[in-house]
Amino acid sequence: MSRPSDHFDAGKDGFEARDREAKKSTSGGARATMPNKPGGAQKPGRASALVAWLRTAWRQLTSMRTALLLLLLLAIAAIPGSLVPQRSSDPNGVIVYQDQYPDIAPFLDDIGMFDVYSSPWFTAIYLLLFVSLIGCIIPRIKHHWDALRSKPPKTPARLSRLDAYSMQVLDASLDPKRGAVIDEAAKVLRDKKYRTVIFDDGKRGVSVSAERGYMRETGNLVFHSAMVGIIVAVGIGGGFTWSGQRVLVEGQTFVNGLVSYSSFNPGRFFTPDVLAPFSMRLDSFDITYEEENQNAIGQATDYAANVTVNTPGGEPQTETVRVNDPLRFAGTDSYLLGNGYAPEITVRDPQGNAVFSDFVPFLPQDSFLTSMGVVKVPDGLDEQIGMLGFFYPSAVELESGALTSNHPDLRDPMLTLNVYSGDLGLDEGVPRSVYTLDTDTLTPIAARDLDFKPIELRPGETAELPNGLGTIELGEVPRYASFDVHEDPTQIPVLIFAILIIGGLFTSLLVPRRRLWVKATTRADGTVLVEYAGLARGDDPQLAAAVNDLLDVHTRKIVGLAEPASPARDSGVAKRPEPTSGSGSGADSQGASLASSPTQEAP
């Protein structure tokens, strides 16, 4: 993001402007420190000091070093978003993380680790990078536009000092056509897509100056402008983005409305009327497990959520949602996040009346879907009870007596429940997670260390609750799937800008920026010296080859300027030496090489 290397390219040979600017800066500095009155120099006021400080800060902010540092810092700041579950994409994962790490989770929440991409510190880096890019791009666009409208610079006085140089000597018969030689050189250069201008310095010679490669800087500007475009698209378009999470048990339906989502994350510009009217029913959830590879028994190889989507007045549509294969419908994308089991649990009072009946999603704790869930019964019994349960799809007993699951499929399902009584805190008006149970304020009434052991149930079984509170029954055990439904209007703009970034980057890397000159000078003995030279902006390993190719093509052209019947070797066109390539400081060694050629004379 620094200014281009040709920011100052005025002057006689395109390289003297920097020296003039340095002299002007020095003289300007001397005038600024001249004493205004006897007794010492004038001290700058507070206002001018503040302006100078702001100017320095702006230069630092818009420098390439700062922009690269901010880009690196942004990449580092995004790392926690992949290490810690985010509320915007995995709210259930946040709940599980908070349960597993109760000591550090509040601190991480305070510093925004569960909402990394909307945190103040991430936004600050984001905005600083945006300002840095804007402050760098605008001056470069203006300079590039001026450079595109300007003519190629005047031919340098000593071409032999440039990075790539070669020459040939024409005999006196071609002297009257010296201008035609340069005209042919200009035609050759224009055929190679160079911009050209011819200079006639009289006795000092006639020359053509050519340049090409402005697409390199154009690609560079497109690259950086597209980066700004992505920042704007994500920053502004992200305000219209929304996402909602919903857990669906097989056979359940949800309507695309705010009250239907388990959790909802709106953008700052979101309004409820943008939600498209549709409903989605989870018909079945199919999983394929590995059964042949002994080292991967029970590993899932495929997930498929079969759903039916309805719109008002429309025909039902049957779709299948898979991992990384979302359902795209009504401008929204529905992604499959997770899955598990949702046992049907029914609690009855002593008279047999059902006071609780629902499919309760249990959160998987391992790859074999050993799952944990919470049942809360606030009304209908003599006291409020809460149950912390563990579900084992294929229950086996360990040597210690503890239970675990050795396969994720329903081979021998079992549900165990620890029961607690007391105030569940549901009447305080404070939202409580359905996946957590605060046992600190509750009294255990069924646990392993009590006389009343944890309740164990298999599908279809009923057990008594402690203290004669009633009964609990385990019904069928269907699967559930969690979906993330979201609308993101930034996808198409980001795709377009990403393509522009790649195209601009390749253009800036592959298109060489170079200048070529051809100069014809009449010497004292009547012969014509034709010089070829090139200069590149940055590293250009093909510069010498470009000068070599120009000399070859031009030689074939100027052979036709001699007498019509003359062969090439009699036309006065001497054999050329190999072009030289160097840093521009090897003029002496180049001259020695040219002088050693038997058919050449040093200029």
Side-chain angles (χ1 to χ4, degrees), residues 256 258 264 270-276:
N256 188 31
L258 288 178
F264 194 83
F270 169 82
T271 55
D273 57 352
V274 303
L275 296 177

Side-chain angles (χ1 to χ4, degrees), residues 174-183 200 202-203 205-206 520-522 528:
L174 289 179
D175 183 31
K177 299 180 180 179
R178 184 182 67 177
V181 169
I182 297 301
D183 289 340
D200 189 349
K203 293 184 179 180
V206 182
T521 307
T522 303
V528 177

Side-chain angles (χ1 to χ4, degrees), residues 338-563:
N339 66 92
Y341 291 101
E344 182 185 19
I345 298 175
T346 302
V347 178
R348 302 179 187 275
D349 62 16
Q351 289 74 38
N353 301 315
V355 297
F356 177 90
S357 182
D358 200 0
F359 294 94
V360 181
F362 276 57
L363 301 180
Q365 305 297 304
D366 57 28
S367 59
F368 289 151
L369 296 187
T370 299
S371 307
M372 183 176 67
V374 171
V375 180
K376 299 178 182 180
V377 185
D379 302 305
L381 301 179
D382 292 340
E383 54 184 321
Q384 295 184 352
I385 64 170
M387 290 176 277
L388 183 63
F390 289 89
F391 179 75
Y392 308 94
S394 299
V396 293
E397 186 173 348
L398 302 175
E399 295 181 359
S400 62
L403 295 174
T404 188
S405 178
N406 62 3
H407 197 279
D409 208 358
L410 291 177
R411 294 183 173 180
D412 185 17
M414 176 181 285
L415 175 66
T416 65
L417 295 162
N418 290 346
V419 186
Y420 299 84
S421 65
D423 185 6
L424 298 177
L426 301 180
D427 300 327
E428 299 175 358
V430 179
R432 303 280 182 173
S433 172
V434 297
Y435 300 103
T436 60
L437 180 66
D438 185 5
T439 60
D440 293 339
T441 59
L442 301 177
T443 301
I445 56 177
R448 294 186 64 181
D449 55 352
L450 299 178
D451 294 336
F452 202 106
K453 301 301 179 183
I455 299 173
E456 295 184 358
L457 293 171
R458 284 184 167 84
E461 295 181 349
T462 302
E464 296 288 334
L465 290 172
N467 303 333
L469 292 174
T471 61
I472 182 170
E473 177 186 353
L474 175 62
E476 60 180 342
V477 184
R479 286 187 177 272
Y480 73 83
S482 59
F483 295 90
D484 178 75
V485 184
H486 78 271
E487 182 178 354
D488 187 0
T490 67
Q491 290 180 343
I492 294 180
V494 168
L495 174 62
I496 294 174
F497 287 127
I499 294 174
L500 290 176
I501 282 178
I502 296 174
L505 181 62
F506 273 96
T507 302
S508 64
L509 293 176
L510 299 180
V511 175
R513 174 74 188 279
R514 63 169 69 115
R515 290 171 178 168
L516 297 180
W517 291 274
V518 180
K519 184 177 182 180
T521 307
T522 303
R523 303 199 299 182
D525 58 359
T527 59
V528 177
L529 173 66
V530 183
E531 299 176 277
Y532 306 83
L535 183 65
R537 294 291 180 184
D539 186 23
D540 186 359
Q542 299 299 319
L543 180 61
V547 174
N548 183 36
D549 181 65
L550 172 62
L551 190 150
D552 288 339
V553 176
H554 186 225
T555 298
R556 290 194 294 269
K557 294 287 186 179
I558 61 178
V559 164
L561 298 178
E563 295 301 325

